Amino acid sequence: MKALRAVFAATTALCAATAANATDLEVTHWWTSGGEAAAVAEFAKAFNATGNNWVDGAIAGSGGTARPIIISRITGGDPMGATQFNHGRQAEELVEAGLMLDLTEIAEEGKWRDIIRPSSLLDSCTVDGRIYCVPVNIHSQQWLWLNNSVFENAGVAVPTNWDEFSAAASKLQESGIVPLAMGQQPWQTTLAFQVILTALAGPEAYTKIFGEKDVDLAGGPELAKVFQAADAARNMAKDSNVQNWNDATTMVITGKAGGQIMGDWAQGEFQVADLVAGEDYTCLPGLGVNEVIMTGGDAFYFPKVDDADITAAQLELAKVMISPETQVAFNLKKGSLPVRGDVDLAAANDCMRKGLDILSQGKIIQSPDQLMSADSLTQVNDLFVEFFNNPDMSAEDAQALFVSIVGNAD
Ligand code: GAL
C-alpha cells in the first residue's frame, strides 16, 4: 500500500510538472500548400517533443495577405507566440517599437554568428547589435521546374535551358499542354519577369540596372532580349488559368503544363506528389542560363509578452528551429536550403545539391528591394504585370517604359 501511494505521488508530481511546462504557443505563417504544410509539421513535431504545444496559426493566401494581419495583431495588442516574416526588413518597425523578444542570449549560447550562412541572414535579424529573429531557411526564386514525361511524350528532349524550353513550346501546345504554368497573382508575374531578366541579361546587368540605374543597359540589346523572352512567356502562359502558385505547380505535376518559373518552395509540392528530382522532374536554376540564387527565405520572430511561461516556450522554439536535426528535416520538405553549413545533408536531392553548389560558389545576387527604393520598384513591378496581362503592349513599348522608370528611379 505504501509502495502504491509512492507511485501515485510520483505520477501526480510528473503530471503536474508536465502540465506546468506544457505551454501552448500559437505560431502564424502563410504555409498552406501541401509541401509547405508537410514542412511546417516538422517544426510542430520538434517543438511538441519539448513538452510544449504548437498551436498552428496558418493564414491562407500569400505573404502579401498574411503580413498585414500579423502586423496588426502585434500592434493591436493581440500577439501570437511566434510568427514568420521574410528575411529582410519586414519586421524592422516592430522591433524598433520594442515589440519583439530579444534572442541575443540564446543566439550567443548557440553560436549563431558562427554557424549561420550567409551572414547577411543574421544581419537582417540584428537591430542595434541585438538579435530578434531566427532565420530558418534559404529560399531562392531563380528556378524553372519541368515535368520530364510531358516533354518525352511530346517527342522532345527535356530542355536544359530557356531557349530549348521556348523552342519546345509549340510541340506541347499541339498536344493541348500549356507550356508555362503561371498563377495570376501579381507577385508571381513579377517573380517570373525578374527571374527571366537575371537569367538572360545576367546577374551583372541586373545589378547595374536595379542598383546603379543604368539606363543604357536598360534600353540596350540585352534587355531587348529579355522583353522578347517575356513576350514569349506570356504567350506560353496564356492558357494557364489558375490563381495560386501551388495550383500552377500542380499543373506541372499532373502533366497539364510543361514547366513553371517559381521559387524552390515549388519543390515541396513535387515531393508530396512522390516525384523524384532528376528523374521525374528537372530543376533549372537561372533558367539553365546563368546559375545564380537570391538568398531570400523566412525567419521567425517572437512578439514580447508579459508571461514567463510563454517567454520560456518562445526561446525553446527558437532553439528547436535552428537545431541541426530540425534544420535538415524541415528544409528537406520545404525545398529550401538550411541556414547552417554544419549539418548532414546526405539526404539532399538533385535540386538541393544544385542550390548548395551555387551557394558555395558565392553566386548570390541581392534582392530588388535591396537595390531600388520601394516606390521605384512598385513602378517596375506594375509595368511587368501590365505587360503580362495586356497582349497589346509590345515588347518595344514595355522596354521604353522600363527605361524611363529606371531613369527616374532611386
Ligand atoms: C515566400 C516564403 C516561402 C514560400 C512562398 C510561397 O514568401 O518565403 O517560404 O512559402 O512565400 O508561399
Side-chain angles (χ1 to χ4, degrees):
M1 184 64 194
K2 212 169 166 195
L4 201 67
R5 216 177 290 137
V7 170
F8 180 72
T11 319
T12 319
L14 192 70
C15 289
T18 318
N21 292 336
T23 301
D24 286 348
L25 204 67
E26 186 200 3
V27 188
T28 50
H29 56 84
W30 55 91
W31 287 331
T32 51
S33 76
E36 291 174 327
V40 87
E42 293 292 336
F43 278 153
K45 192 168 80 184
F47 181 60
N48 290 345
T50 67
N52 290 295
N53 185 30
W54 173 285
V55 179
D56 200 75
I59 301 172
S62 61
T65 319
R67 280 188 298 272
I69 299 173
I70 292 167
I71 293 171
S72 74
R73 276 193 51 189
I74 298 171
T75 53
D78 177 26
M80 60 298 294
T83 190
Q84 174 193 10
F85 280 107
N86 291 122
H87 297 317
R89 304 178 58 177
Q90 290 170 356
E92 194 175 77
E93 289 176 16
L94 299 173
V95 171
E96 284 169 354
L99 294 169
M100 293 299 187
L101 184 65
D102 185 334
L103 307 175
T104 312
E105 220 168 283
I106 59 161
E108 281 172 0
E109 242 171 59
K111 304 207 176 345
W112 292 8
R113 273 272 158 232
D114 301 332
I115 55 167
I116 293 177
R117 55 80 214 256
S119 53
S120 58
L121 299 185
L122 200 56
D123 292 343
S124 28
C125 290
T126 310
V127 176
D128 293 334
R130 313 292 299 174
I131 293 171
Y132 293 92
C133 67
V134 53
V136 298
N137 60 12
I138 301 168
H139 263 314
S140 48
Q141 310 189 345
Q142 289 67 27
W143 300 82
L144 176 62
W145 304 92
L146 305 170
N147 180 330
N148 293 358
S149 61
V150 164
F151 293 91
E152 284 153 9
N153 294 342
V156 279
V158 179
T160 61
N161 58 42
W162 176 257
D163 280 348
E164 292 175 13
F165 176 71
S166 315
S170 57
K171 277 267 185 214
L172 301 193
Q173 273 161 334
E174 278 166 25
S175 1
I177 289 162
V178 178
L180 186 66
M182 269 187 65
Q184 304 297 310
Q185 294 160 338
W187 71 267
Q188 298 178 56
T189 316
T190 55
L191 182 150
F193 208 113
Q194 296 277 12
V195 171
I196 293 172
L197 192 155
T198 311
L200 301 192
E204 277 175 31
Y206 158 77
T207 307
K208 280 201 180 129
I209 292 170
F210 284 82
E212 294 162 31
K213 324 293 177 296
D214 188 326
V215 280
D216 292 337
L217 258 176
E222 290 305 307
L223 262 283
K225 271 196 270 169
V226 168
F227 280 91
Q228 293 299 342
D231 180 38
R234 69 180 171 181
N235 285 323
M236 289 191 261
K238 67 180 189 310
D239 294 321
S240 174
N241 52 4
V242 291
Q243 281 294 324
N244 298 320
W245 67 267
N246 51 309
D247 294 331
T249 313
T250 301
M251 287 177 68
V252 179
I253 288 172
T254 56
K256 294 199 173 75
Q260 180 189 19
I261 298 173
M262 188 41 65
D264 51 7
W265 48 86
Q267 197 174 185
E269 307 307 300
F270 285 94
Q271 298 194 97
V272 167
D274 277 337
L275 301 190
V276 178
E279 283 178 31
D280 303 316
Y281 68 99
T282 296
C283 52
L284 299 177
L287 309 185
V289 186
N290 271 297
E291 297 196 344
V292 287
I293 60 176
M294 201 183 278
T295 51
D298 307 287
F300 277 79
Y301 291 75
F302 303 83
K304 234 192 241 169
V305 288
D306 193 13
D307 179 323
D309 287 342
I310 292 186
T311 308
Q314 289 175 316
L315 295 174
E316 194 70 55
L317 178 57
K319 286 191 219 164
V320 160
M321 285 174 154
I322 197 78
S323 77
E325 302 74 33
T326 320
Q327 275 291 300
V328 173
F330 168 77
N331 283 297
L332 282 175
K333 296 229 164 123
K334 190 71 174 66
S336 43
L337 306 176
V339 296
R340 43 194 301 167
D342 61 345
V343 291
D344 177 10
L345 285 169
N349 70 18
D350 190 50
C351 298
M352 199 187 220
R353 279 183 208 290
K354 286 184 186 172
L356 288 166
D357 189 41
I358 297 169
L359 187 66
S360 71
Q361 293 178 50
K363 292 185 182 166
I364 296 172
I365 47 167
Q366 288 184 283
S367 69
D369 51 1
Q370 285 172 296
L371 297 169
M372 194 176 255
S373 74
D375 276 356
S376 306
L377 193 57
T378 303
Q379 292 173 39
V380 170
N381 288 343
D382 287 350
L383 169 66
F384 290 167
V385 173
E386 192 191 344
F387 178 68
F388 257 83
N389 293 318
N390 176 5
D392 294 337
M393 183 188 271
S394 69
E396 293 73 25
D397 290 349
Q399 187 178 6
L401 286 166
F402 183 64
V403 172
S404 77
I405 296 172
V406 172
N408 292 316
D410 50 10

